[in-house]
């Protein structure tokens, strides 16, 4: 049994880690910090967790226990779900975040935790940067097509919609969001840089907010390098994901609802004879495959456990 | 490993059994019948299940394999999620269902599968009638108060709201249901009889439809036998459920959202000095604790397994 | 054309007044104060209003212009949508609000603005207290039965569900509310006192929050004085509302969705032979008939205009 | 007062016409046919309309009254909300609908009813084809940019999301749609041809279904003809719509929720220096500006009435 401490654990990704740890045979969550919620019982803030976490209380983050660069000597593995160590190039970081990275020397030490595309370095990894939710969906849809040389690496469009939980607790009030569909972050969403780094291409990324709790659908458009077909682009996805336990390649249209609560991504692709565009889609649960589930998938690999351990591959439906 | 066959498995409770079996260490679903869906792959009808059930196909129900009274010789345990064997009195059945029961001689052989209230007969049981969703919520809220002699057994009101999945696939179109709250089955909902039998009291039951997928909240009103207090009625719930892994007694107001995807019920109670009423509330996931999860909880007991095996006690939130 | 100033106009009831004034032939909104939004364009905070209110800006409330008891000399009519002048008895006010009323001498001067039940004093009224949303629904469902002497005036239960807009802007985050149904204010919601005053009976009131923007359904339970029938209780509603342009008496189950955006209430009633209870239901749009629409209906009466002027009687569906 | 008959009036666009006619000073709906609902009271199928349409009953369509080519001699103006007379080229019709047009000789006689882009021919028009919902949104976003020569007319992408009411009554069950976001009609949605005709450019159109009742957001991507800027593209929209009562040009991100129940479109545009793309967005209510409201706007023009008569420009919010 491996003890897990969750730093900044009072948000949705923290709660999701607690949920997944409750069903994981080898991980047990023993610490959850959350500065604004310090002293609150986990089960009071998240009644959904009360039946299992009847004793756990959010604590204040103690700098002396888990501080800065000293971190690695105190815990064996760090899985960072925030965005700080995803971008490898400090200049790109500065460009999109508006300030210099504070510890650029650590950027190279973090492994990017998207197993289906970059599995090898995750075995035994000590420092893992878990990908963002949009980049996970976009990369799963696009990368096999780019690696197969089927599509151009410029002018790609990623048009995506997310459920509201991606924005964290409290940001969006119900009445301003329910029954609404709206784009946001036009031209300047920070995930753009992470998508570009991960898929290795120039991307215009337009996120939208959909009136639902969970789920991301990325609808991606790319220009073929030469004449292609639906058979070929769908085949590229099938080849890439044939042995993957958490990817379903489908010729249907992937639905976010099919992924709710699961670590599974659903992908498809089409080539349009008429306009020349290739379209590729991926649906995930932003809090599982797009955050906490993928982090645990990485933890399984890093710890030498079965990669699928404790991770639901089936969704809660309806 | 116990092989499970799901008869009438293409509806939501069937899909939920398949989801839960996927995470159960000792149950494996090998058959799912569904007449209207015969020939359809499970993963095509429910993409949420595709990652695990990549080979399973809904089949037609074959009468010769699982027919009528012969059923018990062919399979060792039957867990009936339909309403046919919940009521013990054929006269009550006829009154609420409008026709005589077809096999009244079997009614006595079925055990009513609500472990927190009637656990003993479930150990090793061959025939189990899984309770309805509303009766589960109402009985968990009311029975401890009635058993403790705190409230009258006449004139009880059960005012409840359910998510739409309780009505099955396809009955309610999105546009007629979203952003709507409406009562239905005024005075004559069939679950009334099951609630009355289970809690042992006369009940007026008013169900409502809430614009959400899952969840039932039962808000119950009863008259105290003599002067009582919130401390006393809450204490009765705590005494009844202290050792129960799937019941959270709370002094907060139970929320259906806290139960999503889990087998856990949340209950509370209050006594109103001003008007004299006792109010008792219970929230569950109608498809888990209100149907498929409770059936598996019963199966665990019937099969001699750990009662909590394979059943999530934490909910998917948000 | 009558100039309207909306004090505290940046919340949902203020925005709804602006919407309704835009379609009213005789009212024109020329001022909207909102302290926290002072300086914000109406169309920026509420893009839904931008096409009409392209110049209006929320301003700070200026005490010298509209101050306290001097109010009546400066404007001819005041329609108060807040709760301050609804209760007539200062002792009741103190009991439910936890502090003494600040200007109890004004309580008698305000007319309670529920035209279907108390129309006469509204003609030409200078000071009108617009009812609360729950009290409007409960009173429309119960009062005709009480006035007809059909039901007891003690032990009445009002079990109601409301959309989230009733709580105002920002209180409930999307992810904590969507797909949730939960009771709140158990035993102590302040609308209890207003319901009791309006219907003239003792009431236990239990509000619930439903995952939708608008709408209230009140499901009310009362004991008959003597044996009654569905025909009799439904007949009492029909007699009371036969000539009312904004009440639909139906033998179907009233749905909140049918009322969206309209000033119309839908009511029905039943008597249960089995348990003896009478049940009476009313659905309204909490922001229209439950707030701003009713205020304008009162304004029409007070100003000597056609009572229905500028008020939609049909709902936006779906 | 002009009498209106609604043929095929029992669907959502028919109900919306009835709602809008109820608030229109010069139009009165006296007939509504609906074959599957013949004999049903309007107020029974749509309780939202019951307060006004207490006598109107859906009738069977009588061929002898309104038959085929004879139609024009019997009524003075026809506003067709279906798709039959939107495409001008019978070959394009056949290509997208899979069969030859039945009365191609009529195609030239219908005027396309999108006033902001093609107002002139609508004055006094006898036959009007009301545009589809997606084409309305896409055309309002793109046409000013194309007319100003700012963007290429090939390779345009229209990525759009719609509420469920666009699909009509009953098609989508609640539980399969709520909390889901999914693309549909990949590569072959019929509105593609209408968008291409209306904007005069080659378009790849990808519609999505969002879990809400109403609203369409079209997010459109086009390549600039030469270097452009956000100022220039936004300016083109402002020039085009400066005098339009039903278009709000905004530098914020248009939200579908701002349009609910209104005939108003909200549009914006951006030019991306980094990738070269121009992005243009439009939000409308699919049942009002995307269907029935626009039809009435056309009717006002055709009948010589004030163009805005009876049409709400403000939305119902929240």
């Amino acid at each position: 049994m491996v003890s897990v401490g969750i730093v900044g654990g009072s948000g949705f990704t923290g709660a999701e880690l607690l949920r997944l740890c409750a069903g994981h045979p080898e991980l047990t969550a023993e610490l959850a910090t959350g500065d604004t919620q310090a002293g609150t019982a986990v089960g009071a803030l998240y009644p959904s967790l009360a039946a299992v976490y009847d004793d756990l209380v959010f604590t204040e983050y103690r700098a002396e226990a888990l501080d800065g660069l000293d971190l690695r000597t105190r815990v064996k593995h760090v899985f960072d779900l925030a965005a700080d160590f995803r971008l490898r190039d400090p200049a790109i970081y500065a460009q999109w975040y508006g300030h210099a990275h504070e510890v650029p020397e650590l950027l190279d030490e973090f492994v990017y935790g998207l197993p289906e595309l970059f599995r090898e370095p995750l075995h035994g990894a000590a420092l893992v940067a878990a990908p963002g939710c949009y980049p996970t969906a976009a990369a799963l849809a696009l990368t096999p097509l780019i690696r197969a040389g089927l599509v151009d690496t410029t002018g790609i469009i990623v048009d995506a919609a997310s459920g509201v939980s991606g924005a964290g607790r409290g940001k969006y009030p119900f009445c301003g969001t329910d029954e609404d569909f709206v784009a946001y972050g036009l031209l300047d969403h920070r995930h753009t840089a992470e998508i570009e780094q991960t898929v290795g291409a120039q991307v215009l990324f337009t996120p939208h907010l959909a009136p639902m709790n969970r789920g991301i659908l990325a609808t991606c458009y790319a220009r073929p390098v030469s004449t292609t077909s639906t058979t070929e682009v769908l085949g590229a996805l099938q080849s890439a994901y044939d042995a993957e336990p958490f990817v379903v390649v489908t010729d249907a249209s992937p639905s976010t609802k099919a992924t709710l609560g699961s670590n599974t991504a659903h992908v498809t692709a089409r080539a349009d004879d008429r306009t020349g565009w290739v379209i590729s889609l991926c649906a995930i649960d932003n809090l599982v495959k797009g955050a906490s589930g993928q982090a645990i998938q990485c933890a399984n690999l890093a710890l030498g456990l079965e990669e699928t351990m404790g991770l639901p591959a089936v969704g809660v439906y309806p």
Side-chain angles (χ1 to χ4, degrees), chain A:
Chain A
M1 212 64 168
V2 178
S3 289
V4 172
I6 305 174
V7 179
S10 66
F12 286 154
T13 54
E16 192 69 353
L17 285 170
L18 291 170
R19 175 177 82 89
L20 293 169
C21 284
H24 195 291
E26 297 291 338
L27 301 180
T28 179
E30 300 199 337
L31 172 75
T33 78
D35 286 4
T36 62
Q37 298 293 341
T40 305
V42 164
L45 189 62
Y46 294 108
S48 58
L49 301 173
V52 167
Y53 294 99
D54 47 354
D55 284 336
L56 194 63
V57 174
F58 289 113
T59 56
E60 206 170 338
Y61 173 73
R62 291 173 302 136
E64 66 278 16
L66 292 164
D67 195 16
L69 301 182
D70 188 41
L71 188 59
R72 292 180 60 187
T73 63
R74 294 178 181 263
V75 295
K76 290 189 184 145
H77 301 270
V78 172
F79 305 91
D80 184 16
L81 278 78
D84 297 333
F85 297 100
R86 293 175 187 159
L87 296 178
R88 284 195 208 97
D89 183 341
I92 300 283
Y93 182 92
Q95 177 189 338
W96 288 88
Y97 285 81
H99 58 85
H101 198 282
E102 292 184 22
V103 280
E105 64 275 20
L106 271 184
L107 291 177
D108 276 349
E109 301 196 29
F110 271 83
V111 175
Y112 190 70
L114 212 170
E116 287 79 7
L117 300 177
F118 312 98
R119 182 170 282 115
E120 203 44 44
L122 287 164
H123 292 291
L127 299 178
V128 175
C133 49
Y134 286 120
T136 296
L140 289 173
L142 286 169
T143 308
L145 307 183
I146 290 172
R147 288 187 180 169
L150 294 175
V151 298
D152 276 346
T153 56
T154 58
I156 290 176
I157 286 170
V158 174
D159 188 288
S162 174
V164 183
S165 60
R169 296 176 61 229
K171 181 167 176 192
Y172 289 100
F174 182 86
C175 287
T177 311
D178 184 46
E179 298 289 304
D180 192 24
F181 189 78
V182 63
Y184 66 101
L186 291 177
L187 309 187
D188 64 5
H189 194 285
R190 289 167 172 180
H191 278 181
T192 304
E194 186 184 345
I195 297 172
E196 293 195 329
Q197 169 185 290
T198 308
V199 306
Q202 184 210 45
V203 168
L204 172 58
F205 168 52
T206 310
H208 298 74
L209 196 66
M212 56 192 197
N213 286 301
R214 291 179 179 228
I216 282 183
L217 182 75
T219 302
C220 311
Y221 302 87
R223 284 286 177 197
V225 168
S226 59
T227 305
T228 185
S229 66
T230 292
T231 305
E232 192 174 40
V233 292
L234 206 46
L237 295 179
Q238 282 156 341
S239 300
Y241 299 129
D242 192 40
E244 293 296 340
F246 293 126
V247 184
V248 172
V249 180
T250 173
D251 56 6
S253 192
S255 119
T256 63
K257 196 178 177 83
T259 70
L260 195 145
S262 86
N263 199 50
T264 299
H266 293 242
V267 297
T268 196
R270 301 284 188 282
D272 186 25
D273 289 344
R274 222 174 48 83
T275 64
W277 283 105
V278 167
I279 178 169
S280 176
L281 301 99
C282 176
I284 60 169
D285 182 322
N286 56 302
L287 290 180
V288 191
K289 185 62 183 169
S292 305
Q294 186 148 263
I296 286 180
Q297 187 181 354
C298 294
N300 287 340
L301 286 167
L303 297 166
L305 303 172
E306 182 75 27
E307 183 175 340
T308 58
M309 186 176 281
L311 288 169
V314 294
V316 177
Y317 186 96

